[in-house]
Amino acid sequence: METTKTDKIIGVLGIFFCVGAVALLMTTETIDITIILALLVAGVICIVAGFSRCLGYRKDPGTDERTRKLSAFAATYSWFITFMLVNILFLLDYFGRLTITVSQTLGVIFFIMLVTMFGMSAYLKQKGYVE
Amino acid sequence: MKTRIKELRARYDLTQEELAKKVGVRRETIVFLEKGRYNPSLKLAYDVAKVLKSDIEEVFIFEED
């Protein structure tokens, strides 16, 4: 299967992320290193995902109707779990059970989003179908 | 749902990989279709039936509960 326009856009976006991260690192002294690392990781992921067909790693059609359906379900479950987590964090903070900074909250949310998305995706792909 | 994909595939000497390529899906999707564990879209069912030179009703056998 040939590289699609979307793949190229994702790949180029990845390059921008990586270049942006390096530029931030060189020009700004006060910026949190976590942000730069997050940008770099996102950039590398985009480059690999975008240009994998060019490199010949994905000979099969990347997605079909079944995998798209599985991904949609995984994203839905991930969104729901993250939403519940945000509510739990809010309640814990409201009742004074947990003191958590904005950065920590964002970190936890990003982590849970990624873990649940990949976890649900892997589970559903192993199951093979959703009804 | 039962399917006759495996039988028809054998008749036309097609592998799962070849059938998947012809209808533009992953091989795993053909595996799940053959096992009757995945309900395909109308388009995919039509494409599979067309490649196997049959009607949709001949390839996919729906059983009423």
Side-chain angles (χ1 to χ4, degrees):
Chain A
M1 197 172 179
E2 296 204 352
T3 309
T4 63
K5 196 179 173 184
T6 315
D7 288 330
K8 285 177 188 166
I9 292 170
I10 291 170
V12 171
L13 200 66
I15 293 170
F16 275 115
F17 278 154
C18 289
V19 171
V22 173
L24 272 176
L25 188 66
M26 291 170 75
T27 55
T28 320
E29 288 176 3
T30 53
I31 196 161
D32 191 349
I33 193 75
T34 319
I35 295 169
I36 291 166
L37 281 176
L39 265 177
L40 266 178
V41 169
V44 171
I45 289 170
C46 286
I47 289 170
V48 171
F51 294 131
S52 57
R53 279 204 191 101
C54 287
L55 300 169
Y57 291 125
R58 277 156 59 185
K59 297 271 191 224
D60 288 341
T63 57
D64 61 17
E65 61 172 47
R66 187 181 60 87
T67 54
R68 276 195 295 273
K69 199 173 174 184
L70 293 181
S71 300
F73 267 78
T76 308
Y77 287 132
S78 171
W79 182 90
F80 182 73
I81 293 167
T82 310
F83 179 71
M84 295 303 288
L85 178 86
V86 170
N87 279 295
I88 290 167
L89 284 176
F90 171 76
L91 288 172
L92 287 174
D93 181 60
Y94 184 78
F95 290 111
R97 298 280 177 188
L98 180 75
T99 310
I100 189 166
T101 65
V102 175
S103 307
Q104 287 170 331
T105 311
L106 283 173
V108 169
I109 290 171
F110 286 150
F111 181 74
I112 293 295
M113 278 178 86
L114 282 176
V115 167
T116 52
M117 181 70 196
F118 284 115
M120 286 311 299
S121 192
Y123 169 71
L124 291 175
K125 274 180 184 158
Q126 187 204 11
K127 198 179 163 196
Y129 68 103
V130 278
E131 291 299 335
Chain B
M1 182 189 72
K2 285 181 182 174
T3 72
R4 291 179 58 219
I5 294 176
K6 198 172 180 178
E7 177 195 331
L8 292 165
R9 206 166 44 74
R11 184 187 292 174
Y12 295 107
D13 199 24
L14 281 170
T15 63
Q16 289 178 336
E17 190 82 49
E18 286 164 345
L19 177 60
K21 205 171 179 181
K22 278 176 191 279
V23 296
V25 296
R26 295 167 70 103
R27 192 186 63 82
E28 292 89 337
T29 303
I30 300 296
V31 173
F32 283 108
L33 277 176
E34 283 188 359
K35 286 179 183 170
R37 287 175 62 189
Y38 174 62
N39 286 331
S41 67
L42 186 58
K43 188 185 179 306
L44 179 58
Y46 174 79
D47 288 344
V48 170
K50 197 176 168 187
V51 169
L52 297 174
K53 299 181 181 70
S54 309
D55 292 327
I56 290 179
E57 309 93 283
E58 288 176 69
V59 182
F60 299 95
I61 301 143
F62 286 91
E63 293 167 328
E64 288 183 24
D65 291 328

